[in-house]
Amino acid sequence: MKFMLELRDLCFSVPGDGKRIDILNHIDLTVPDGKLVVITGPNGSGKSTLARVIMGIEPATSGEIWLDGERIDGLNVTERARRGISYGFQQPPRFKGMKVSDLLECAAGKQISREDACHYLAQVGLCSQEYIDRDVDASLSGGELKRIEIATILARNAELMIFDEPEAGIDLWSFGRLTETFQQIHRRGTASMIIISHQERIIRLADEVVLISGGRVTGHGPASELLEQIESAGQSGGCADCL
């Protein structure tokens, strides 16, 4: 099986009170090509940090990151984006004065037709004629902004898509539409996906689930098996907020 992403003995620490504080501890992880992997675990366990380290927003303290057989931990975030990695923020940025159509074109890295821009919006459940000329500003709700961000990732045609808690700050209807979008992307099989999430509905979409606690991988396997472990940990007080 081809592995799109491989993390080897990955560590990340920060300075604090005269010593280093370990956030990620010797993470070994593989993401097979074309698979959807959900990373879950308690708040503060290092999930979002791991996503930022993979993207290059934070530099790893030690260890290796390999993408399609190429070591990339020495590359910055821009260089990793050029190699096909995209990142969806927990709280997507707003751009006052920039229209949705312009943002999609920036994401694509080239001029795109209005028809193509509308197609990307339609894929995330937005009425293209209503949103194509909207500004990416405070007039958009959290759910609208989140779906526009996913549309930019589709326009980017990324090979590895990383989403950090995409359910954060959105309404129930938008959440349902997001899960449908993730299913559609996954069914196409053109990209590998990593989703950081606590939500059982998203966890059940996964080919593989990775459980992180205390900066370490404490479980890795099919959703059906890991959900039992997560629920058991929650009942014992070890991972009460995973779901």
Side-chain angles (χ1 to χ4, degrees), residues 62-110:
S62 62
E64 300 176 3
I65 303 174
W66 292 76
L67 182 72
D68 282 339
E70 176 190 5
R71 187 171 175 182
I72 64 166
D73 45 272
L75 303 182
N76 62 35
V77 63
T78 301
E79 292 168 326
R80 295 187 201 192
R82 287 173 178 160
R83 279 164 173 76
I85 305 178
S86 64
Y87 185 92
F89 288 90
Q90 196 174 128
Q91 298 295 333
R94 300 175 187 269
F95 303 95
K96 186 177 180 180
M98 175 177 279
K99 294 188 181 302
V100 170
S101 57
D102 297 328
L103 183 61
L104 289 168
E105 196 161 271
C106 285
K110 61 182 180 181

Side-chain angles (χ1 to χ4, degrees), residues 32-185:
D33 193 34
K35 298 297 184 180
L36 193 166
V37 175
V38 172
I39 298 176
T40 192
N43 289 332
S45 60
K47 305 182 302 298
S48 292
T49 299
L50 179 58
R52 292 196 298 271
V53 169
I54 294 170
M55 186 68 239
I57 298 170
E58 301 281 1
T61 303
S62 62
E64 300 176 3
I65 303 174
W66 292 76
L67 182 72
D68 282 339
E70 176 190 5
R71 187 171 175 182
I72 64 166
D73 45 272
L75 303 182
N76 62 35
V77 63
T78 301
E79 292 168 326
R80 295 187 201 192
R82 287 173 178 160
R83 279 164 173 76
I85 305 178
S86 64
Y87 185 92
F89 288 90
Q90 196 174 128
Q91 298 295 333
R94 300 175 187 269
F95 303 95
K96 186 177 180 180
M98 175 177 279
K99 294 188 181 302
V100 170
S101 57
D102 297 328
L103 183 61
L104 289 168
E105 196 161 271
C106 285
K110 61 182 180 181
Q111 281 192 325
I112 60 175
S113 68
R114 190 176 181 88
E115 181 181 358
D116 285 341
C118 290
H119 175 66
Y120 295 129
L121 292 174
Q123 285 186 76
V124 296
L126 293 176
C127 175
S128 55
Q129 295 304 317
E130 182 178 341
Y131 286 92
I132 193 73
D133 293 318
R134 290 272 299 272
D135 282 353
V136 189
D137 58 14
S139 68
L140 295 169
S141 71
E144 290 170 328
L145 192 62
K146 190 82 70 170
R147 281 184 280 160
I148 288 169
E149 182 184 53
I150 294 175
T152 65
I153 291 173
L154 295 175
R156 184 78 185 172
N157 197 28
E159 295 181 10
L160 174 61
M161 302 178 179
I162 303 171
F163 298 97
D164 187 5
E165 297 195 22
E167 69 272 14
I170 65 172
D171 57 78
L172 187 60
W173 189 92
S174 296
F175 174 68
R177 193 64 186 85
L178 279 177
T179 58
E180 291 174 11
T181 301
F182 291 144
Q183 286 177 305
Q184 290 168 3
I185 295 170

